[in-house]
Amino acid sequence: MTDEKVYRASTTAPVNIAVIKYWGKRDTTLNLPTNSSLSVTLAQSDLRTHTTASCSSTFSAPDTLILNSVPQEISSARPTACLTALRSLRAALEDADPELPKLSTFPLRLVSVNNFPTAAGLASSAAGFAALVRAVADLYAVPQTATELSLIARQGSGSACRSLLGGYVAWDKGSRADGKDSIARLVAPQSHWPEMRALILVVSADKKGISSTTGMQATVKTSALFQTRTEHVVPKEMAGIEQAIQAKDFESFGRITMRESNSFHATCLDTEPPIFYLNDVSRAAIRAVEELNTRAGKIVASYTFDAGPNAVIYHLEEYQDLVAGSFKFLLAEKQGWDGNRGKAIVATEGVLSVDDKVAKLLRDGVSRVILTGIGEGPISVQEHLIDEQGKPTEI
């Protein structure tokens, strides 16, 4: 009898924001990085990708993906590499147990929804590929660990491997040509230092003018600073920030985070032609953080910017009224303060005494704020984006 069941599995996966940046590849096919990196996994209550993977003998080929209600191309190299690897794992189980349904031979239907802007410097591809890999792995009931699955997610989006784990996560660059040692590694769980918070100033929700892939390839080819950064700067900063995390030393964490962000963007500027991911609003956010730290007499806030203009400002819970509260006073009319996290923050007047030009840039240039904190890795959920007949549904 033909198996016509629609099999489904759903997961949510987090955004991660790197404090030691991944930039540059030693192997573009396998997505092997030229340097190790480290990130903070953010809470899925605030930022997540929700993905449902389904398969059935009744589905017509080829595989399909719908992201935020829009059909996406899924036959390109990156998603194909992930799905091929996952099918191979499932096929091995089916070969070992002939009673298992032949899910590896069925076409896939994937539906995914982000609750944050896609491709705007908020690590959407990391959360997206992590959710895709975890959902399909759950659908196929493969036994591989999150670290083992990070080898697959990495082939979709390099930083996606870090979104398969929660807390503070490193991506070791590895040295093997086959990439088997280029994996995600847990530095510390969320529970180790749960007081970490992040305020995100969304400067632009538009798609980036220069993608991360294009940008890093240009940097590798043309930047004179690139080799110094990968060989000397990043290894030192990786060691320092791992030590800071273990010691829960925010001043060291913050200093390294800001220095590393500046190093990354200096390398982008050193690329030919130069890559400008930051803008005047981004630089105004930097000035505001510097002012907060000067007023506090120590580092209570640290900025970092990925490949986009949005500022991510890390701080500890004990300083949220000082840090986030100062921005709340300045940007009180912006969307994002009305949630539970925002309501708990007291708008603090008089601390952030930036000049009128900086204040105007922030008021005019920030479109919304996102308040979040450190979070967990992917979570299997029963809220499916595909119904029992294989049709997309709205949650």
Side-chain angles (χ1 to χ4, degrees), residues 302-370:
S302 65
Y303 59 79
T304 188
F305 298 83
D306 278 350
N310 302 319
V312 179
I313 301 171
Y314 286 113
H315 58 281
L316 294 180
E317 183 180 25
E318 65 181 296
Y319 294 116
Q320 70 175 9
D321 287 344
L322 175 63
V323 178
S326 294
F327 281 98
K328 185 177 184 179
F329 179 79
L330 185 66
L331 304 172
E333 302 304 316
K334 302 299 180 181
Q335 179 184 355
W337 300 110
D338 52 351
N340 291 334
R341 289 187 190 271
K343 290 176 181 177
I345 293 170
V346 177
T348 305
E349 182 179 2
V351 177
L352 194 54
S353 58
V354 293
D355 62 42
D356 291 343
K357 181 179 179 181
V358 169
K360 186 176 188 305
L361 280 167
L362 290 171
R363 290 193 181 104
D364 292 347
V366 174
S367 61
R368 62 172 295 187
V369 301
I370 298 172

Side-chain angles (χ1 to χ4, degrees), residues 51-52 63-67 70-74 79 108-112 132:
T51 297
T52 296
D63 300 334
T64 60
L65 168 65
I66 296 175
L67 171 61
V70 179
Q72 303 290 314
E73 174 59 53
I74 199 173
L108 286 161
R109 289 184 184 173
L110 307 163
V111 176
S112 192
L132 181 150

Side-chain angles (χ1 to χ4, degrees), residues 32-47:
L32 301 181
T34 54
N35 64 269
S36 297
S37 56
L38 190 146
S39 60
V40 179
T41 303
L42 300 181
Q44 294 183 57
S45 56
D46 310 300
L47 296 163

Side-chain angles (χ1 to χ4, degrees), residues 171-251:
W171 173 18
D172 294 324
K173 70 173 184 176
S175 59
R176 291 176 51 161
D178 62 5
K180 296 295 186 183
D181 57 350
S182 183
I183 57 175
R185 170 174 55 85
L186 183 65
V187 174
Q190 174 191 6
S191 58
H192 169 72
W193 201 8
E195 297 84 5
M196 187 67 70
R197 298 290 180 266
L199 166 65
I200 302 174
L201 305 181
V202 181
V203 175
S204 172
D206 296 333
K207 192 170 183 178
K208 290 177 287 190
I210 300 175
S211 71
S212 297
T213 298
T214 301
M216 68 176 66
Q217 288 173 335
T219 298
V220 170
K221 291 179 180 177
T222 65
S223 171
L225 295 178
F226 173 74
Q227 187 171 357
T228 299
R229 170 177 161 76
T230 56
E231 293 182 2
H232 302 288
V233 175
V234 171
K236 178 181 177 182
E237 303 290 42
M238 278 289 292
I241 206 158
E242 288 200 41
Q243 183 177 6
I245 290 167
Q246 296 299 339
K248 304 179 189 177
D249 176 0
F250 186 83
E251 285 208 60

Side-chain angles (χ1 to χ4, degrees), residues 38 70 101 103 113 131 134 166 232 248 271 279 291 352 377 389:
L38 190 146
V70 179
L103 304 190
V113 175
R134 184 71 265 179
H232 302 288
K248 304 179 189 177
T271 302
N279 59 23
E291 174 69 15
L352 194 54
Q389 286 71 48

